[in-house]
Each structure stands twice: as structure tokens, then as C-alpha cells.
Amino acid sequence: MTDAVYTIVEHDGGWAYRLGDVFSETFASRRDATAAAARVAQEQQVPGDDEAISWEDEAGQWHDETARGSDPVSYTH
């Protein structure tokens, strides 16, 4: 199994949660970013179907991956 760790960080004049090098939208407060990360992490705890995902990195490269419905995640702040 793969662990996904969401980290709460200052970003774009506010706060965001980060997974690896990927940032969420910006939130006005650290509390709001933490709550959003907790919601996302909780959703990921519920077993689901495997899903194909695409995401763009900082260099503008697109990546295709399969998100396993059984992979656990957590968040840090």
C-alpha cells in the first residue's frame, strides 16, 4: 500500500495542503486548509474503486496514474 501524506503549508498569500509537489487551492487560514485536508484524507479512507487520474506538475508535464481505491492517506500540519 502507498501512504499519501497531506502537509499544510503557506502558499500564494494564504494556506494550502500539499501532496508531494502538488498544492491545493489557497485558503484564507491555516485552520481552513487543515479542515480541507482532513476532509480529503477522510474521503480517501473510504475504500472505493480504482480511478484513473491525470495531473500537471510544476514543469507543465502531464502524468497519468491509477489511484487505488484501497490506498490509505493521512495529513500533517
Side-chain angles (χ1 to χ4, degrees):
M1 270 193 225
T2 302
D3 287 335
V5 178
Y6 292 95
T7 305
I8 308 305
V9 296
E10 290 186 74
H11 182 67
D12 281 345
W15 294 88
Y17 58 86
R18 185 182 76 206
L19 177 61
D21 292 333
V22 179
F23 292 87
S24 71
E25 66 271 27
T26 302
F27 295 90
S29 70
R30 182 182 186 112
R31 173 180 261 171
D32 290 343
T34 301
R39 280 191 305 272
V40 170
Q42 181 63 35
E43 289 172 6
Q44 295 300 319
Q45 295 294 327
V46 177
D49 297 328
D50 292 354
E51 297 285 340
I53 60 172
S54 297
W55 56 277
E56 184 178 13
D57 66 22
E58 292 176 351
Q61 293 285 106
W62 282 93
H63 303 269
D64 295 316
E65 296 181 3
T66 300
R68 294 183 42 161
S70 61
D71 286 347
V73 295
S74 61
Y75 70 98
T76 61
H77 51 87

